[in-house]
Amino acid sequence: MQKFLTALLVPFAVGALFAGSANAQSRIKDIASIEGVRTNQLVGYGLVVGLNGTGDSLRNCPFTRQSLEGMTERLGVNIRGTNANSKNLAAVMVTAELPPFATPGSRVDVSVSSMCDSKSLLGGTLLVTSLQGADGSVYAVAQGSIQTGAVSGSGGSGSSVTRGVPTAGRIASGATVETETAFHLDSMPEVRLNLRNPDFTTAQRVAAAINATYPSSALAENGSVITLRAPAQLGMAAFISRVENMPVAVDTPARVIIDEVNGVIVMGENVRISTVAIAQGNLTISVQESPQVSQPAPFSQGQTAVVPDSSVTVEEELGREIRLVNGSTSLATLVNGLNALGVSPRDMISILQAIKAAGALQADIEVL
């Protein structure tokens, strides 16, 4: 267990040793996003046909029957009042994500999921389905053959085998964009960068790096938003393409992440610990039950009975002495000090929480 802890923490210590070097930098495009440049969720309701008897039961799914009747009427066929009981079609929900700056005619992937009691969508074909955004406007139209990536089979006795989820699938490039989102980057006088991990120091560093090349072009409004204004000689798109490739040293808060279920401990680069003394030992209490049978004397009026016999022992691991962990100046020093205790990861979790309660751990603890 000690080897496991060492293997777990040492890589982070190695990373901390090089964190202060000039090479430990990230591109602005990897730590921030442009406000408004985002995907949009689309959703639609459609019908899948061509299923091999694995579709919806029209008696149990009234909306599937209504969809079938409405579709056939638009095509000039009236089946209302008939006893149609086909199981070769299914009602589905179709979802997709419209990428930023998508233009009419571009293609996007769609996901298809069954709504009723269909057994499988394998081999089905999605009919023309309009995909709407949150504002109710149609932005794309989907159609095509569904690929589920799942396998299912059943026998007459009721036995069945299923791999994956056959009632959900995807259509690669299955939707055609009909309307683009109204986001005109070229006409915007300024844009805002949003840090994915808000931090005042990082925001100031991003603004300083941009202003060093393009003076008075960036302003850090707070720990999350940096406002950009393109120079007169550059368009907004050209300016952003140059800004997003600039390297910046990212600052992170001191934090310890603990996963008690799996016994995982992750420490950030800036975690520090004040001088503290730690003693740790294992206490084991064993209770052993050895019931005895009490037999009465011959020809007596007594009865045979079971008499409980309990043995309780207490064992405490010896050889554990109180250890002094000096105030650390780096994550490597902290890791070496904690490894000197020779405890398991789960015991280390308890020790870190106790150090935090004593006020000696200069970091936030987050328990997953």
Side-chain angles (χ1 to χ4, degrees):
M1 298 299 289
Q2 182 179 357
K3 293 181 179 179
F4 172 79
L5 179 62
T6 304
L8 178 67
L9 294 180
V10 165
F12 295 99
V14 174
L17 292 177
F18 295 94
S21 64
N23 295 328
Q25 296 180 330
S26 301
R27 297 179 301 175
I28 293 179
K29 69 189 305 180
D30 298 325
I31 63 175
S33 60
I34 302 174
E35 185 177 84
V37 179
R38 52 179 292 272
T39 60
N40 292 274
Q41 285 69 38
L42 305 179
V43 65
Y45 169 82
L47 281 177
V48 173
V49 298
L51 302 177
N52 187 19
T54 59
D56 295 341
S57 300
L58 299 185
R59 295 178 181 177
N60 299 333
C61 306
F63 48 85
T64 305
R65 173 184 287 276
Q66 293 173 9
S67 301
L68 175 61
E69 293 173 351
M71 180 192 66
T72 54
E73 282 185 359
R74 289 194 299 270
L75 297 177
V77 180
N78 186 6
I79 63 170
R80 293 185 183 275
T82 61
N83 189 23
N85 194 26
S86 173
K87 296 194 66 175
N88 292 346
L89 73 158
V92 295
M93 293 300 296
V94 185
T95 58
E97 287 194 357
L98 183 67
F101 308 116
T103 57
S106 58
R107 311 281 295 187
V108 296
D109 297 343
V110 298
S111 298
V112 182
S113 304
S114 175
M115 291 182 60
C116 197
D117 59 357
S118 172
K119 299 298 187 297
S120 175
L121 299 179
L122 181 64
T125 300
L126 175 69
L127 300 182
V128 176
T129 302
S130 59
L131 302 179
Q132 302 178 356
D135 58 356
S137 301
V138 176
Y139 287 92
V141 176
Q143 181 173 276
S145 300
I146 301 173
Q147 301 296 326
T148 63
V151 177
S152 63
S154 60
S157 62
S159 59
S160 63
V161 175
T162 302
R163 295 286 181 86
V165 183
T167 55
R170 292 180 62 83
I171 306 177
S173 301
T176 303
V177 177
E178 299 293 337
T179 306
E180 61 180 314
T181 56
F183 189 82
H184 304 290
L185 184 65
D186 56 340
S187 61
M188 299 177 63
E190 62 182 32
V191 296
R192 306 173 77 194
L193 290 179
N194 295 330
L195 293 181
R196 295 188 174 93
N197 296 309
D199 184 84
F200 283 98
T201 302
T202 303
Q204 292 295 335
R205 290 177 181 175
V206 170
I210 298 173
N211 289 330
T213 306
Y214 304 99
S216 303
S217 296
L219 174 64
E221 296 184 7
N222 49 51
S224 178
V225 178
I226 302 99
T227 301
L228 301 181
R229 186 177 293 272
Q233 68 274 17
L234 289 176
M236 185 60 73
F239 178 55
I240 292 177
S241 69
R242 299 186 183 187
V243 165
E244 66 181 6
N245 288 294
M246 292 182 177
V248 174
V250 179
D251 194 72
T252 57
R255 185 173 299 166
V256 177
I257 308 299
I258 293 176
D259 184 353
E260 294 190 77
V261 176
N262 299 310
V264 176
I265 306 170
V266 179
M267 297 185 186
E269 168 196 353
N270 298 315
V271 175
R272 298 292 184 269
I273 188 172
S274 303
T275 302
V276 65
I278 303 173
Q280 188 272 343
N282 293 324
L283 185 68
T284 303
I285 301 177
S286 301
V287 179
Q288 183 177 3
E289 296 287 349
S290 301
Q292 304 291 331
V293 178
S294 176
Q295 188 74 18
F299 305 106
S300 67
Q301 300 298 322
Q303 296 180 348
T304 302
V306 177
V307 179
D309 184 10
S310 301
S311 176
V312 181
T313 59
V314 178
E315 297 180 0
E316 184 172 7
E317 185 178 357
L318 301 178
R320 295 289 186 184
E321 59 183 10
I322 189 168
R323 289 181 177 267
L324 181 67
V325 180
N326 295 321
S328 60
T329 57
S330 67
L331 183 58
T333 307
L334 171 60
V335 170
N336 293 333
L338 294 178
N339 281 337
L341 298 174
V343 297
S344 68
R346 299 189 185 278
D347 292 333
M348 185 66 68
I349 291 174
S350 300
I351 291 175
L352 289 173
Q353 291 174 333
I355 295 175
K356 176 65 176 178
L361 183 63
Q362 314 310 325
D364 292 331
I365 291 184
E366 181 179 342
V367 181
L368 301 179

